[in-house]
Amino acid sequence: VAFEAEGDSVEELFRGATQALLETLADPVTVGTSWTRQITKVDEDVASLLFEWLSEIVYWKDAAAVVFHEAPLALTCENGKWMLTSTLVGAPVNRQIQELGDDVKGITKHLYEVKQHGEQWTARVVLDV
């Protein structure tokens, strides 16, 4: 499974890529909000930060057996370092009430790229399912 995300800022790009991953795992509308986890990630490289962030979502999907309703995030840059803060919000997997999608095993480096064209940011992400 692959997707492309774009945004007029790095933060919009991250939001778009996050939403694409969440929707690949399950229809967020069908997922409750009983499980939360605060996440902070820091990296100098935007592409590396996005890769690590998406990988973190997949990690928690497996480690806690949850899918996600939402993952609101904020992205800041200070002294050349990008910092992402987010709260993953979801619920344990329940096939009876959730519309589940693909079981993503990981984010791959295959064809992975993050580019900036003027003010526009784009990313291509390939998922291992």
Side-chain angles (χ1 to χ4, degrees):
V1 173
F3 65 82
E4 290 186 352
E6 60 183 33
D8 292 333
S9 67
V10 176
E11 188 169 272
E12 277 188 29
L13 173 68
F14 273 62
R15 285 187 181 134
T18 300
Q19 191 65 31
L21 177 55
L22 299 188
E23 290 179 11
T24 300
L25 297 170
D27 180 350
V29 173
T30 67
V31 178
T33 60
S34 61
W35 182 92
T36 62
R37 182 77 59 204
Q38 299 282 358
I39 307 292
T40 301
K41 293 275 184 194
V42 178
D43 202 305
E44 293 177 2
D45 180 61
V46 169
S48 296
L49 182 61
L50 180 61
F51 187 90
E52 289 303 316
W53 164 236
L54 297 176
S55 296
E56 184 87 4
I57 294 171
V58 174
Y59 168 79
W60 284 110
K61 184 254 323 165
D62 290 334
V66 296
V67 286
F68 307 99
H69 177 74
E70 64 181 345
L73 61 86
L75 200 60
T76 57
C77 186
E78 290 184 30
N79 301 322
K81 291 190 179 190
W82 291 94
M83 182 169 67
L84 175 140
T85 55
S86 179
T87 302
L88 291 174
V89 179
V93 172
N94 182 337
R95 297 181 189 284
Q96 294 178 344
I97 61 172
Q98 296 163 345
E99 188 177 313
L100 300 176
D102 292 313
D103 184 16
V104 175
K105 307 282 189 242
I107 311 303
T108 73
K109 293 283 186 171
H110 180 69
L111 300 176
Y112 180 78
E113 72 176 0
V114 175
K115 289 186 177 180
Q116 181 182 16
H117 304 284
E119 294 298 311
Q120 186 74 24
W121 287 83
T122 60
R124 181 176 48 228
V125 179
V126 177
L127 308 173
D128 181 14
V129 294

